[in-house]
């Protein structure tokens, strides 16, 4: 009886508490929702919504203050396009409740300090902008904002720290000025001028060596490719000449001027930028991508804002923010882009296309997967079929026109995008317009573009289709039929060395022999490398490799799956006859011979061989740079293969680094076993068990605790992998230097200009290695500088390295 | 996002709970509405844009062992498979809109069509003419054949 009563009481109290708690949670959720959705489309005006919401929040302030503070401080950062809406809202709250205003300012300052400490640069930048806008709403005093600006300028002037750090502090200021410039101009003109003068000085002294590496096109016609900081500086300077009158940003606080100007302002506390440490990562610089100007857009339509108008900056930033928010949902992204707030005042499709291409062509790499931009453009065409496809076609024409000066990395991406896009639209294109490329040499960028696009279209379709999609005149640029070339079955093929063994092996393989039986047959082949004296044991038997590799791969040529099955079953044979690098290069040569007309298949086979460790990364690198492959050197598939090879190596190292870091962390966190008393029999037994039970050196997640010994072994493996990685980069860069230097010397001797298409492509490919793998290459920058990229090198080659170094300096 | 569709494999050996669990951690996608002539190479080229592919298993007619318009694409990383659902699903391969969906994982035997005549079930009952998938649906083909035989 009494128990039941007690239970009732407890449950009753519990349920009551739960009800109160859940009620509270409900109200909090509702407040959060109201705050998040303020400014979104409603039937009433924004002003009345703001007034209403300010009253609601003020009423609930006592109970829900911390929640309100948190949401209000996060919203303007999560939804930066609504910055001015939130500053107005906080302004109204501050007018009603001075203390709340003070606490909010403290919250923002805390958030800023944390963002700076944690290296969340974009958030920090948006916080600085929001704080600046808070001056417009009389929440923060202009003088204390200027103090903040001064401390940022001091940070920009600091000696002995990377330029990328100093740049950021400048950039944060510059991108806040459009919001608060006018207010500062009216109230603190002298201080504003002082700040502008400091920024001018900074920008004049800056190093811009990195720009060449980041430009999509290496020339400034028809549109200058400006470095991002230079561009915003020009835009802000123009704003200044307009007396800081900025008309694009929507400012709800103007409607509340009488209320807000009555409010008391708060002073920002001193905010000191956290010092630079070696491990701090700063955002990389970029070059502003420009492909359109107002002459490209229809005359009758709205005007495209000029390159140096602040409006251009604001709209582009907003479009990029929409991409950030919806980049994983292409339909939503396309919808939101097309629903851009001021879409009737601008040539929206042009700006969207320019922004998306700027992301696709971003150097060193796009923010998101290349294909995401491609399918977003397709969605846009679906949603706006009367305008988007035309703008996209116009853009494609422009890109083709200017392809002569496009860097190799972006060239690849353009080829990839265009062929992918065509594959979604039945490969229809006005090929006639591009016939001029047929009279150009094969290595000319235009001719190369068309032939590479054909190659990619072939991969996404089939031979007959590609032939049918273009006018006949294009046949010189069309790829060959993607079939294996099995020389033993050609005219006179049965007279070739090894032909009989090929026949024998083919028949044997049809009977599904064991790897040992296959090995037995191949090892009977004579070795053409063997001297008659038989003194030196050759490193490999090229004839055996030739016969085995070509026969096996030919039998598996029907599909990837067939080939993979063959590679798997006879893996041990590969390992036996291709032990060293020379043998592996010989093998790659055989693979190439068989699949020379089907670059896709070649790449997939090499990839599989790397995965199953039949071939080492260094062998692939040396094979690519070998004399045999020289005729193919400017073909894109070669570089596809090199980059997949480097990526494999990088992934391997990164994975081991993570494993070691995780294991070390686990070791640190747990009580140290090695220090434990030796006389605990259970623990000793436990350790022993751990050591014998785990065959792998890495403990699985959440399972056993790693021992010091295990971690040391992991570190050894990591060191070995890093050494392999360094070696790979050394080989690649050294071969580049050799091949480029040879070319320059040869041209010198022959009295010819060295700046041929081949030379430009090769320098471009060198640059591509730096850009595509910059994070990993960075680790070996010192070594590269000491060993390879020395002062005596040809300046063009050295420049590529210097530009790469300038990325983070 | 990248949520599984409402389709659930009726032949799945295991509980519904188990199936959901596997779907939630899978790196394998089912790809449907392929043409019978779409090759492994084409699939590899398109899906390879989302990440490293572990393997592709072509869906085959149970009797003829020829492709019957679907396949499985297995990635090494689930995130890459998610991206395929985000960016490839609903776009064209070989001129056809392809559909991707999470799969609980390839098991030997699942590469065969489950339709009575050896291909996919959907090709048994459909009433349209699809040149890339053998023309008319099988039921209609049979009806046409029997009525021709009777005349």
């Amino acid at each position: 009886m009494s128990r039941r009563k007690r239970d009732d009481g407890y449950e009753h109290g519990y349920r009551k508490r739960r009800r109160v708690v859940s009620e509270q949670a409900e109200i909090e959720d509702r407040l959060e929702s109201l705050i998040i959705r303020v400014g979104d489309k409603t039937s009433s005006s924004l002003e009345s919504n703001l007034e209403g919401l300010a009253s609601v929040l003020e009423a609930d302030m006592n109970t829900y203050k911390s929640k309100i503070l948190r949401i209000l401080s996060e919203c303007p950062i999560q939804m930066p396009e609504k910055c001015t809406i939130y500053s107005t809202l906080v302004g109204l709250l501050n007018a009603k409740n001075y203390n709340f205003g003070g606490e909010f300012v403290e919250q923002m300052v805390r958030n800023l300090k944390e963002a700076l400490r944690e290296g969340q640069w974009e958030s920090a930048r948006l916080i600085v902008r929001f704080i600046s806008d808070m001056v417009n709403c009389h929440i923060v005093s202009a003088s204390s904002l200027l103090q903040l600006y001064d401390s940022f300028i001091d940070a920009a002037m600091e000696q002995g720290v990377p330029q990328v750090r100093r740049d950021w502090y400048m950039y944060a200021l510059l991108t806040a000025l459009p919001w608060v410039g006018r207010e500062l101009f009216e109230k603190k003109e002298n201080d504003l001028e002082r700040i502008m003068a400091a920024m001018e000085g900074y920008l004049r002294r800056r190093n811009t060596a990195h720009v060449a590496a980041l430009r999509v096109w290496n020339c400034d016609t028809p549109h200058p490719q400006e470095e991002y900081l230079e561009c915003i500086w020009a835009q802000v300077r123009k704003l200044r000449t307009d007396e800081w009158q900025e008309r694009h940003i929507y400012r709800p606080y103007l409607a509340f001027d009488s209320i807000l100007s009555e409010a008391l302002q708060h002073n920002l506390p001193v905010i000191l930028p956290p010092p630079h440490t070696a491990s701090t990562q700063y955002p990389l610089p970029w070059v502003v991508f420009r492909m359109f100007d107002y002459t490209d857009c229809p005359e009758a339509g709205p005007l495209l804002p000029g390159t140096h108008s602040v409006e251009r900056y604001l709209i582009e930033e907003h479009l990029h923010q929409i991409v950030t928010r919806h980049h994983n949902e292409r339909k939503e992204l396309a919808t939101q882009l097309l629903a851009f707030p001021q879409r009737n005042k601008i040539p929206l499709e042009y700006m969207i296309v320019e922004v998306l291409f700027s992301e696709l062509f971003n150097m060193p790499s796009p923010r998101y997967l290349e294909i995401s931009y491609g399918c977003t453009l397709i969605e846009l065409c679906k949603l706006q079929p009367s305008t988007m496809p035309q703008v996209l076609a116009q853009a494609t024409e422009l890109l083709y026109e200017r392809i002569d000066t496009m860097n190799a990395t972006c060239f690849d991406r353009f080829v990839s995008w265009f062929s992918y896009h065509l594959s979604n639209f039945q490969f229809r294109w006005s090929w006639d317009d591009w016939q001029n490329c047929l009279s150009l040499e094969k290595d000319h960028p235009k001719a190369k573009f068309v032939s590479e696009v054909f190659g990619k279209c072939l991969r996404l379709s089939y031979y007959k289709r590609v032939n049918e999609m273009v006018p006949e005149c294009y046949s010189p640029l069309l790829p060959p039929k993607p079939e294996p070339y099995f020389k033993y079955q050609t005219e006179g093929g049965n007279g070739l060395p090894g032909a009989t063994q090929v026949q024998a092996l083919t028949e044997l393989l049809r009977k599904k022999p064991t790897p040992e039986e296959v090995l037995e047959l191949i090892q009977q082949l004579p070795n053409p490398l063997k001297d008659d004296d038989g003194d030196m044991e050759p490193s490999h038997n090229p004839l055996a490799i030739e016969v085995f590799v070509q026969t096996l791969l030919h039998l598996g040529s029907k599909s990837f799956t067939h080939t993979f099955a063959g590679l798997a079953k006879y893996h041990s044979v590969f390992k036996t006859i291709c032990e060293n690098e020379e043998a592996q290069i010989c093998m790659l040569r055989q693979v190439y011979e068989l699949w020379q007309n089907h670059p896709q298949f070649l790449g997939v086979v090499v990839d599989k061989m790397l995965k199953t460790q039949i071939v080492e990364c260094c062998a692939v690198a040396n094979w690519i740079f070998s004399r045999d492959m020289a005729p193919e050197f400017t073909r894109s598939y070669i570089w596809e293969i090199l980059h997949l090879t480097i990526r494999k190596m990088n992934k391997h190292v990164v994975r081991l680094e993570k494993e070691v870091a995780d294991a070390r962390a686990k070791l640190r966190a747990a009580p140290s076993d090695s220090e434990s008393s030796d006389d605990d029999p259970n623990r000793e037994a436990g350790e022993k068990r751990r050591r014998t039970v785990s065959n792998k050196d890495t403990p699985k997640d959440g399972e056993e605790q790693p021992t010091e010994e295990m971690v040391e072994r992991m570190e050894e493996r990591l060191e070995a992998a890093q050494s392999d990685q360094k070696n790979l980069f050394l080989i690649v860069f050294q071969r580049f230097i050799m091949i480029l230097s040879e070319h320059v010397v040869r041209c010198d001797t022959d009295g010819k200009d060295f700046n041929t298409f081949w030379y430009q492509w090769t320098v471009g490919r060198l640059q591509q290695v730096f850009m595509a793998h910059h994070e990993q290459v960075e680790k070996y920058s010192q070594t590269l500088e000491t060993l390879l990229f020395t002062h005596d090198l040809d300046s063009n080659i050295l420049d590529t390295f210097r530009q790469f170094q300038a990325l983070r300096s | 996002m990248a949520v599984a569709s409402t389709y659930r494999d009726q032949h799945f050996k295991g509980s519904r709970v188990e199936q959901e669990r596997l779907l939630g951690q899978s790196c394998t996608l089912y790809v449907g509405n392929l043409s019978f002539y779409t090759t492994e190479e084409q699939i590899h080229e398109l899906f390879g844009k989302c990440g490293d592919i572990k393997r592709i298993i072509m869906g085959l007619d149970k009797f003829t062992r020829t492709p019957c318009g679907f396949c499985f694409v297995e990635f090494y990383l689930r995130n890459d498979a998610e991206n395929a659902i985000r960016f490839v699903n609903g776009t064209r391969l070989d001129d056809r809109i392809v559909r991707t969906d999470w799969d609980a994982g390839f098991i030997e035997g699942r590469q065969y069509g489950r339709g009575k005549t050896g291909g996919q079930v959907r090709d048994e009952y459909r009433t349209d003419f699809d040149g890339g998938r053998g023309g008319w649906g099988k039921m209609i083909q049979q009806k046409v054949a029997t009525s021709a035989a009777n005349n």
Side-chain angles (χ1 to χ4, degrees), chain A residues 252-389:
Chain A
Y253 38 81
L254 295 174
F256 294 102
D257 193 46
S258 47
I259 302 174
L260 294 176
S261 50
E262 297 287 302
L264 291 172
Q265 298 168 323
H266 304 266
N267 285 325
L268 291 169
V270 167
I271 300 169
L272 290 174
H276 170 69
T277 69
S279 57
T280 325
Q281 296 270 38
Y282 301 98
L284 289 176
W286 71 90
V287 167
V288 178
F289 177 80
R290 285 270 171 270
M291 66 183 293
F292 292 130
D293 65 22
Y294 72 96
T295 59
D296 294 308
C297 309
E299 249 179 68
L303 213 57
L304 181 65
T307 31
H308 286 164
S309 70
V310 146
E311 217 179 349
R312 188 74 174 264
Y313 169 78
L314 293 170
I315 296 169
E316 282 174 352
E317 188 195 48
H318 190 173
L319 287 170
H320 281 294
Q321 281 163 355
I322 296 175
V323 173
T324 310
R325 190 168 309 150
H326 300 291
H327 66 271
N328 275 337
E329 296 132 45
R330 64 189 203 246
K331 292 197 210 289
E332 185 62 21
L333 175 56
T335 309
Q336 291 301 326
L337 285 170
L338 289 171
F340 191 81
Q342 280 111 333
R343 58 186 169 278
N344 299 319
K345 303 212 185 102
I346 50 169
L348 181 61
E349 291 92 349
Y350 287 85
M351 296 196 78
I352 291 175
V353 165
E354 193 175 64
V355 160
L356 288 176
F357 273 125
S358 83
E359 293 222 13
L360 177 65
F361 292 134
N362 187 58
M363 295 294 284
S365 46
R367 284 202 291 168
Y368 306 122
L369 275 185
E370 282 178 44
I371 193 176
S372 71
Y373 299 107
C375 66
T376 301
L377 286 166
I378 293 171
E379 285 302 318
L380 287 163
C381 287
K382 273 199 230 161
L383 287 177
Q384 205 91 300
S386 53
T387 47
M388 257 304 175

